[in-house]
Structure formats: C-alpha cells, structure tokens
Amino acid sequence: MAYLRLKITRNLEKVFNLDDGITIGRAPTNQIQLLNAAVSRIHARVIKEGQKYRILDAGSRSGIKINKVKVEDKILENGDILQIGQMVLIYEEDDFLGEQEYINISQTPLTPAQIAELGKRDKVALVFNTSHEFVEQAVQIGESIVDRTSFDESAKMQLVMGFREAIGNAERHGNKYDFNKLIRVVYENSPDKLTLSVEDEGEGFDFETVLKKSQQGDAITAARERYQEGGIGGLGMRVMMKCMDQIMYFNGGTRLVIIKYKKN
C-alpha cells in the first residue's frame, strides 16, 4: 500500500491512500486539496504504473520539488519529500503495521489472566463490537504493554491517556455506540517506538475543522459544543497532540495511528 502524508502541524498528519491514482491541487475536486495560494487548481497527477507511482506536473505555475529538486515527471520512491507550493507531503509504501491476525474479543470475552498474557506480547491485534466493556479490555491490554516499556512514569501515563482517548473516540464518535459496528485495535511495541492503530466503521472525522475550532477562544467551550453535536471534542485532540509524537488520520478519519518514540 502506498500513500502520501500531508503535514498539518509538527506532529499531526493527514494520510491519503493513492489507490489507482489521484490529483493534487487547490480545487475541491482534487483527492488531495491543498489550500495554498502557490498551488494551482489542478497542480499534479499521481498515476499508478505497475507496482510504482509516477507524479506528473499538470501545468502548474510553481512546479513540484521532490527532495528539494524541481521535477516535472518522476517515479516516486519510498521516503520522497514532495513540496507543492508551501505544503509538504511524504511518500511512503509502508503500512506501519502490515497484515494482522485479529483476536475477536467479542466472541471470547477475556479474563484478567488473558488480558495480562496479551499485555506481554509486542504486537497485539484486536477486533470487537462497539461496547464499553470491550473498549476497557483493549485499553487494559495497552496499559500492560506500556508498563513493560522503558518510558518514564510521566510518559507512561500520557500513553495510556492517549490510548483511552483514541479507542474511546472510536466507540463514541466513530461508531456512535452502535454495537453492530466493529473497532479494530493494533498495538506494536518495537525497539524505537510504541504504535497504536484504531479503526472504526463510522463516517469519518474532519479533524482539521475541529482543530481549528478548538484553537479559537476557549478550548473547553469548543469541546463541549462539538460533543453536543455528536463529534469529537477539540480538547480530546489536544490531549493526543500533547501525549503523542506523531498522529496520523487515514481514510477520511476512520483510522487513527498514534506513535510515541523511545529516546535513548
């Protein structure tokens, strides 16, 4: 799977799957819309060629830079840094967590001993119906994994807060407490980082609008208003942005990947 990561803030990114190809530009009809004066209405095209992707300048005014070199036509390579106008995107071919074998905890509810045993693994993939009981079990497994890491106590507390916020949002705001919709959770504890992926079956999450609203005036008031509308509060987003080093929204906001890096 290949995708482009669009930097929104220092640690917040919006991720676009490339599928069979996309267009990039300022117009809302593009699959990737970049609201920047230096970006043309249709600035670039990305097309699939076999297992690779090629980017083509679509006659833009300011052109495309890849790894600081201006190009009109290039096969993209893993890790390429694209500059279009003032916007930065990163091309990657890694899905972070790869294929999973999910444990369905809805069918076989976990005992405390099983929760503790799963917490000893470095990679755990869970799927469950939308229920607070299963959400709590998923968070408890994450907490057990965090306890085994070398993070200090403050960082461990932040990680658990971030996990609870991310999985709880899938329950409340993604699937809207619909028991028949599934939540997929994957933890991976690797030598350099701890990663959580949460995916729901909701309609997606417009985090940019929520973030902008929460930055205007009183964050608590903005969070309350958004919650009453049935959406995630900006305060919750701020919690995750404070706790995590990298936050990525995939598939229109139905999948969230959060990462905290381990420092030597």
Side-chain angles (χ1 to χ4, degrees), residues 208-228:
E208 292 173 281
T209 298
V210 174
L211 181 63
K212 187 179 296 183
K213 187 174 182 180
S214 75
Q215 290 171 335
Q216 297 171 350
D218 175 36
I220 294 176
T221 300
R224 184 182 300 116
E225 290 174 356
R226 179 63 178 161
Y227 184 84
Q228 289 170 349

Side-chain angles (χ1 to χ4, degrees), residues 15-224:
V15 184
F16 300 87
N17 293 336
L18 293 183
D19 299 321
D20 293 328
I22 58 168
T23 61
I24 304 170
R26 197 177 70 254
T29 51
N30 294 283
Q31 286 86 356
I32 300 182
Q33 184 185 21
L34 302 179
L35 297 177
N36 182 266
V39 177
S40 299
R41 287 184 58 79
I42 300 178
H43 198 107
R45 291 184 172 86
V46 179
I47 59 174
K48 189 173 185 181
E49 294 186 353
Q51 299 301 311
K52 290 288 188 177
Y53 287 88
R54 180 186 296 275
I55 189 166
L56 303 165
D57 192 312
S60 67
R61 296 189 307 275
S62 57
I64 304 166
K65 287 185 178 179
I66 298 183
N67 304 325
K68 300 184 178 180
V69 177
K70 194 167 185 178
V71 302
E72 293 185 357
D73 179 347
K74 184 183 183 298
I75 295 290
L76 293 171
E77 302 293 338
N78 192 39
D80 277 349
I81 299 174
L82 290 65
Q83 183 176 339
I84 297 179
Q86 300 301 314
M87 312 298 284
V88 173
L89 303 101
I90 302 168
Y91 173 77
E92 290 200 2
E93 298 170 345
D94 175 22
D95 191 30
F96 291 96
L97 299 170
E99 295 295 323
Q100 314 301 331
E101 291 188 11
Y102 287 94
I103 300 169
N104 190 331
I105 63 175
S106 303
Q107 296 176 352
T108 54
L110 301 175
T111 65
Q114 290 172 321
I115 290 172
E117 185 61 33
L118 288 172
K120 296 177 182 178
R121 300 184 185 182
D122 285 332
K123 189 170 184 179
V124 182
L126 309 168
V127 61
F128 48 89
N129 293 89
T130 303
S131 160
H132 189 64
E133 175 188 359
F134 303 138
V135 167
E136 281 300 309
Q137 290 184 345
V139 172
Q140 288 170 24
I141 291 168
E143 190 170 6
S144 295
I145 293 171
V146 168
D147 282 342
R148 296 190 296 106
T149 66
S150 58
F151 291 110
D152 62 32
E153 289 307 311
S154 175
K156 287 180 179 180
M157 183 176 67
Q158 289 181 340
L159 277 161
V160 174
M161 286 174 59
F163 292 172
R164 185 173 294 280
E165 189 70 30
I167 302 171
N169 285 336
E171 175 195 20
R172 294 187 298 273
H173 308 299
N175 290 348
K176 294 181 170 56
Y177 299 105
D178 184 344
F179 182 82
N180 294 314
K181 291 183 177 180
L182 298 175
I183 299 173
R184 290 175 173 82
V185 171
V186 184
Y187 293 104
E188 185 170 54
N189 180 26
S190 59
D192 62 331
K193 63 183 181 291
L194 186 59
T195 303
L196 168 66
S197 170
V198 182
E199 187 169 5
D200 61 55
E201 295 183 340
E203 298 176 353
F205 169 45
D206 182 5
F207 73 89
E208 292 173 281
T209 298
V210 174
L211 181 63
K212 187 179 296 183
K213 187 174 182 180
S214 75
Q215 290 171 335
Q216 297 171 350
D218 175 36
I220 294 176
T221 300
R224 184 182 300 116

